[in-house]
Amino acid sequence: MRNTDIDVDVAIIGAGTAGLSALKEIKRAGKTYVLIDHGPLGTSCARVGCMPSKAVLHAGGLWQGQAFIGGGVRQMLDVTGPDDLWRAARSTRDALASGAATRTVAAAGERLLMGQARFIAPDAVTVGGRTVRAKAFVIATGSTPIVPAFLRDIQARILTTDSLFELETLPRAVGILGVGAIGLEIGLALSRLGVRIVAGDLKSMPAGITDPEIGARAVQHFKHAKGLTMWLGQPINVTRTAVGIGISNGVATEQVDWILAALGRKPALDSLHLEAAGVALDEHGQPQIDPATLRAGQSALYFAGDVTADRPLQHEAADGGMIAGFNAARHGAAIRFQRRVSLSIVFSDPDIAFVGTPFDQLDPEHIIIGSASGQSNGRSRVMGTEDNLVRIYADRINGNLLGASIFAVHGEHIAHLLAWAMQRNETAESLLEMPFYHPTIEEMVQSALSDIVAQQGVRRAEPLGVRHLDREDLNSSTKNFDHNIWNQHPNRYAS
């Protein structure tokens, strides 16, 4: 683009997942646009988030499976040690980030403007000395890691997920502050690659778990993880020592090389100067955003992705980008959208997953909890994963599925099935009409649903899980069977 001022219908600030999703909607509406990003290009998911962490988890899983690596996997991957797998994971990260950056350039073309955007008026921002005027803006600037002030004295030994994957070789020992989803995933991944991990959190349950039974099962399981020490439910102190960094829970102290701050992320808004855009900010400096339109107050600004601090997940960023882009392209006539059922997965192997309404937001007097343990599931017992636990929450009166917490190997698949069911407003009884294959982990869902129905105490004339066909339906079904099956394959049903 030439070094002149720019006038467009919509300016998108941030070229991550949310920004690119918004771009598709704005182009589809036939509006003029500019895409602004301060760099580096490549989505947060690809560069520093979900994809590099999963690549390292996969690498750790390979190295932990020594029996398999000793045979063919080590030779196939040309692996001689964990550092080789770490480099392979970083290469995967680089390839994914590079691909995302290339797609961004291709999508925006000459309408891509690199630089830091700053509002100077409700309808204008400056970028590198140029002024961009727009009828509406999509703010998709993402988030930045939280690094508390008490860590400033050891700043040179602090890592975040934005910098962790820049290490060329694996450290020997890492202390992790925060055992949320990211802290647990990274801690497990590095420990499986032979890094000694000491992870601490004020919360008594890891990974954002609020269901106490799921939490107890997860803590019991991971306390046996090789190379991983977890201090939960107690304050953690970090100090500089003569030989490195000391991390302590007040009783024990461990020496580590690095501290990974995994204490969450905050919206990246500080450099935008939203006050000049006429956006009201709360006491924390955050705008009030309508969750159904993603518009801030009566302004021309629509917020999407991690910058909203609501559901900071890649698929939610994509959905938010669509909504913000759709409404920004039609500014003045914003449409309210219903978001999809909440779905969150921690790839901790066993996975930890949450679907729908969280346990701590439900009224215990109005729900039924259906439980299924791996100890009673055939596939879990064959796999040696008896720690598996599925808890499904349903309305006590009508059996509508409200939420679920999962701790299970392959729990990511169970979580998807339940999210789809809740999106379709299934009840425990109606979902039991679906087929369940034996032996599978999915049979735990069947067991938990049956538990819910049993607790409802409703007497039924028909067996649970099969549909009753009335006479008219039966006649129709019989006719359809005669025409479509019997006449085409008579030998299949011959006596």
Side-chain angles (χ1 to χ4, degrees), residues 366-368 393-403 452 456:
H366 295 94
I367 64 170
I368 293 174
Y393 320 127
D395 185 280
R396 180 175 294 277
I397 303 301
N398 57 30
N400 282 341
L401 303 183
L402 303 174
I452 291 170
Q456 285 183 292

Short mmCIF file of all heavy atoms in Angstrom, two decimals, residues 366-368 393-403 452 456:
data_model
loop_
_atom_site.label_atom_id
_atom_site.label_comp_id
_atom_site.label_asym_id
_atom_site.label_seq_id
_atom_site.Cartn_x
_atom_site.Cartn_y
_atom_site.Cartn_z
N HIS A 366 -30.87 -28.74 41.94
CA HIS A 366 -31.67 -28.86 40.73
C HIS A 366 -31.03 -29.74 39.66
O HIS A 366 -31.47 -29.74 38.51
CB HIS A 366 -31.95 -27.47 40.15
CG HIS A 366 -32.81 -26.62 41.04
ND1 HIS A 366 -32.29 -25.72 41.93
CD2 HIS A 366 -34.16 -26.55 41.17
CE1 HIS A 366 -33.27 -25.12 42.58
NE2 HIS A 366 -34.42 -25.61 42.14
N ILE A 367 -29.99 -30.47 40.02
CA ILE A 367 -29.33 -31.32 39.03
C ILE A 367 -29.19 -32.75 39.53
O ILE A 367 -29.29 -33.02 40.73
CB ILE A 367 -27.93 -30.78 38.66
CG1 ILE A 367 -26.99 -30.80 39.87
CG2 ILE A 367 -28.02 -29.40 38.04
CD1 ILE A 367 -25.54 -30.52 39.52
N ILE A 368 -28.99 -33.63 38.58
CA ILE A 368 -28.62 -35.02 38.84
C ILE A 368 -27.25 -35.23 38.20
O ILE A 368 -27.01 -34.77 37.09
CB ILE A 368 -29.64 -36.00 38.25
CG1 ILE A 368 -30.98 -35.90 38.97
CG2 ILE A 368 -29.12 -37.44 38.32
CD1 ILE A 368 -32.07 -36.74 38.34
N TYR A 393 -23.87 -33.77 34.09
CA TYR A 393 -24.84 -33.04 34.89
C TYR A 393 -26.12 -32.82 34.07
O TYR A 393 -26.07 -32.34 32.94
CB TYR A 393 -24.28 -31.68 35.32
CG TYR A 393 -22.82 -31.72 35.72
CD1 TYR A 393 -21.89 -30.86 35.15
CD2 TYR A 393 -22.36 -32.66 36.66
CE1 TYR A 393 -20.55 -30.90 35.50
CE2 TYR A 393 -21.02 -32.71 37.01
CZ TYR A 393 -20.12 -31.83 36.43
OH TYR A 393 -18.79 -31.88 36.77
N ALA A 394 -27.26 -33.17 34.66
CA ALA A 394 -28.54 -33.05 33.96
C ALA A 394 -29.57 -32.39 34.85
O ALA A 394 -29.49 -32.46 36.09
CB ALA A 394 -29.03 -34.43 33.51
N ASP A 395 -30.57 -31.77 34.24
CA ASP A 395 -31.68 -31.19 34.97
C ASP A 395 -32.44 -32.28 35.70
O ASP A 395 -32.79 -33.31 35.13
CB ASP A 395 -32.60 -30.45 34.00
CG ASP A 395 -33.71 -29.71 34.71
OD1 ASP A 395 -34.71 -30.36 35.09
OD2 ASP A 395 -33.60 -28.48 34.86
N ARG A 396 -32.69 -32.07 36.97
CA ARG A 396 -33.33 -33.09 37.80
C ARG A 396 -34.74 -33.44 37.31
O ARG A 396 -35.16 -34.59 37.44
CB ARG A 396 -33.39 -32.60 39.26
CG ARG A 396 -34.03 -33.58 40.22
CD ARG A 396 -33.94 -33.08 41.66
NE ARG A 396 -32.55 -33.03 42.10
CZ ARG A 396 -31.88 -34.08 42.57
NH1 ARG A 396 -32.48 -35.27 42.65
NH2 ARG A 396 -30.64 -33.97 42.98
N ILE A 397 -35.46 -32.49 36.72
CA ILE A 397 -36.84 -32.73 36.33
C ILE A 397 -36.94 -33.37 34.95
O ILE A 397 -37.56 -34.43 34.78
CB ILE A 397 -37.64 -31.42 36.36
CG1 ILE A 397 -37.59 -30.80 37.76
CG2 ILE A 397 -39.09 -31.68 35.94
CD1 ILE A 397 -38.11 -31.69 38.85
N ASN A 398 -36.35 -32.73 33.96
CA ASN A 398 -36.55 -33.20 32.58
C ASN A 398 -35.37 -33.96 31.98
O ASN A 398 -35.45 -34.45 30.86
CB ASN A 398 -36.93 -32.03 31.66
CG ASN A 398 -35.88 -30.92 31.68
OD1 ASN A 398 -34.69 -31.16 31.90
ND2 ASN A 398 -36.33 -29.68 31.47
N GLY A 399 -34.27 -34.04 32.70
CA GLY A 399 -33.12 -34.80 32.21
C GLY A 399 -32.29 -34.10 31.15
O GLY A 399 -31.38 -34.71 30.57
N ASN A 400 -32.57 -32.81 30.87
CA ASN A 400 -31.76 -32.09 29.89
C ASN A 400 -30.30 -32.07 30.32
O ASN A 400 -29.99 -31.80 31.48
CB ASN A 400 -32.25 -30.65 29.74
CG ASN A 400 -33.50 -30.55 28.89
OD1 ASN A 400 -33.82 -31.47 28.14
ND2 ASN A 400 -34.22 -29.44 29.02
N LEU A 401 -29.40 -32.31 29.36
CA LEU A 401 -27.97 -32.31 29.66
C LEU A 401 -27.48 -30.88 29.79
O LEU A 401 -27.68 -30.05 28.91
CB LEU A 401 -27.20 -33.04 28.55
CG LEU A 401 -27.63 -34.48 28.30
CD1 LEU A 401 -26.74 -35.12 27.23
CD2 LEU A 401 -27.58 -35.30 29.58
N LEU A 402 -26.83 -30.59 30.90
CA LEU A 402 -26.40 -29.23 31.21
C LEU A 402 -24.89 -29.04 31.13
O LEU A 402 -24.41 -27.96 30.79
CB LEU A 402 -26.87 -28.84 32.62
CG LEU A 402 -28.38 -28.94 32.87
CD1 LEU A 402 -28.67 -28.66 34.34
CD2 LEU A 402 -29.14 -27.99 31.97
N GLY A 403 -24.14 -30.07 31.48
CA GLY A 403 -22.69 -29.95 31.49
C GLY A 403 -22.04 -31.28 31.80
O GLY A 403 -22.72 -32.27 32.09
N ILE A 452 -28.14 -41.31 35.37
CA ILE A 452 -29.04 -40.16 35.49
C ILE A 452 -30.49 -40.61 35.43
O ILE A 452 -31.33 -40.22 36.27
CB ILE A 452 -28.75 -39.13 34.38
CG1 ILE A 452 -27.40 -38.47 34.62
CG2 ILE A 452 -29.86 -38.08 34.30
CD1 ILE A 452 -26.92 -37.62 33.46
N GLN A 456 -33.64 -40.46 38.24
CA GLN A 456 -34.91 -39.77 38.03
C GLN A 456 -36.08 -40.58 38.57
O GLN A 456 -37.10 -40.03 38.95
CB GLN A 456 -35.12 -39.49 36.54
CG GLN A 456 -34.27 -38.33 36.00
CD GLN A 456 -34.57 -38.07 34.54
OE1 GLN A 456 -34.28 -38.89 33.68
NE2 GLN A 456 -35.20 -36.94 34.27
#
